[in-house]
Amino acid sequence: MKLKKLGMLTPSSNTVLEPITCSILRGVPGVAAHFSRFKVTEVSLTSSAASQFSIEPMLQAALLLADAQVDVIAYNGTSGGWLGFDYDRRLCEKITQETGIPATTSVLALNELFSVFQVKQFGLVSPSGQAIAERIIENYSQLGLQCVDYACSGISNNYACANVDEESIKGMVRSVALSGAKAITTFGTNLWSAQLAEELERELDILVLDTISVVVWKCLHMAGISPQSISGWGKLFAAKEFQEMSNKI
């Protein structure tokens, strides 16, 4: 069987998404993840922080992944949540135009799964500051999705997001779950939260969509591999693809 290779664009200060991605894929034969970094250290609404996500350096990182002949390229990051979903769509279009390789992002995959599970109201858990969280909520409102409650850690240094401990993450999820939302997203790919999803789903009877897990789910579909063999990482891996919607949402 030919090895399927999933390429991941990785913010330079992220120390979580690589080990989590590899752990999720450990039980999937014939699949490997490969990573390429671009400079990101700050998560805020300042112009200097926004400039980190200019398309050119991300495209250069994608071109390096293309040298490895990966089957899909994913931006494993969430900046599209506050920069706007059109940003992610433009990025994917440019990557595919330049490499010939299909592309997606964590946020586009999350949006697709909101459709798969017919989520109209959701809760948000983020390591970022309140201004970022409010911008994310506003962007989702334009899709007709209502964020009924949120919790955030107030962090702007991206490296420090990985220092949020599991008990703090669980506490934020439990607090937001009191809103009655059908789903909660743990929104940040430098957050140690994906491994908590199944435990929290059982405890709270709620869907937990982590932004590392969702892009793995989407990449597997795009590579022609069912993610349903993955267990222990939450309900989302039992979901079927929803009419190739990720680049349309």
Side-chain angles (χ1 to χ4, degrees):
M1 180 175 63
K2 180 183 177 182
L3 180 69
K4 293 289 187 177
K5 299 182 289 294
L6 312 182
M8 301 286 176
L9 297 177
T10 307
S12 60
S13 53
N14 189 308
T15 60
V16 175
L17 78 84
E18 289 163 314
I20 288 289
T21 298
C22 292
S23 293
I24 294 172
L25 293 173
R26 192 165 291 135
V28 185
V31 178
H34 302 272
F35 305 89
S36 186
R37 290 180 178 254
F38 65 98
K39 185 75 170 180
V40 175
T41 58
E42 180 185 357
V43 179
S44 75
L45 297 181
T46 66
S47 58
S48 61
S51 70
Q52 299 170 116
F53 302 103
S54 61
I55 285 181
E56 187 56 33
M58 299 178 75
L59 179 60
Q60 291 304 310
L63 288 168
L64 295 177
L65 286 171
D67 288 345
Q69 298 183 30
V70 295
D71 296 278
V72 59
I73 294 175
Y75 166 36
N76 204 322
T78 56
S79 59
W82 60 90
L83 296 177
F85 307 129
D86 281 344
Y87 165 83
D88 276 16
R89 285 189 281 264
R90 288 194 303 271
L91 174 64
C92 291
E93 289 168 2
K94 188 65 173 177
I95 289 171
T96 301
Q97 178 185 348
E98 294 292 326
T99 67
I101 298 170
T104 190
T105 74
S106 294
V107 171
L108 293 179
L110 175 63
N111 294 357
E112 181 170 349
L113 278 158
F114 278 152
S115 293
V116 169
F117 287 100
Q118 300 181 349
V119 173
K120 296 299 182 184
Q121 295 182 319
F122 69 98
L124 174 71
V125 170
S126 168
S128 67
Q130 184 173 342
I132 287 279
E134 290 176 349
R135 182 70 61 83
I136 294 167
I137 291 166
E138 171 60 26
N139 285 333
Y140 274 104
S141 72
Q142 295 177 22
L143 289 184
L145 276 67
Q146 178 189 11
C147 179
V148 294
D149 197 10
Y150 72 96
C152 53
S153 300
I155 299 170
S156 60
N157 181 307
N158 191 56
Y159 178 83
C161 294
N163 295 329
V164 181
D165 63 85
E166 288 190 357
E167 287 307 312
S168 295
I169 296 169
K170 289 179 183 179
M172 288 192 288
V173 172
R174 289 168 180 146
S175 174
V176 172
L178 296 174
S179 67
K182 181 179 179 179
I184 291 175
T185 176
T186 46
F187 201 93
T189 64
N190 202 26
L191 192 65
W192 289 101
S193 48
Q195 76 281 6
L196 305 176
E198 188 156 290
E199 173 190 347
L200 289 166
E201 286 178 337
R202 286 197 303 266
E203 175 189 337
L204 302 171
D205 190 26
I206 197 169
L207 174 67
V208 177
L209 296 175
D210 180 80
T211 47
I212 298 175
S213 298
V214 298
V215 81
V216 173
W217 171 86
K218 181 59 182 174
C219 284
L220 288 171
H221 275 297
M222 293 173 74
I225 296 174
S226 171
Q228 293 178 311
S229 61
I230 295 173
S231 61
W233 293 90
K235 297 175 183 177
L236 73 97
F237 288 104
K240 296 181 179 180
E241 192 172 26
F242 190 71
Q243 298 175 354
E244 294 292 337
M245 289 181 62
S246 66
N247 290 324
K248 301 178 183 178
I249 297 175

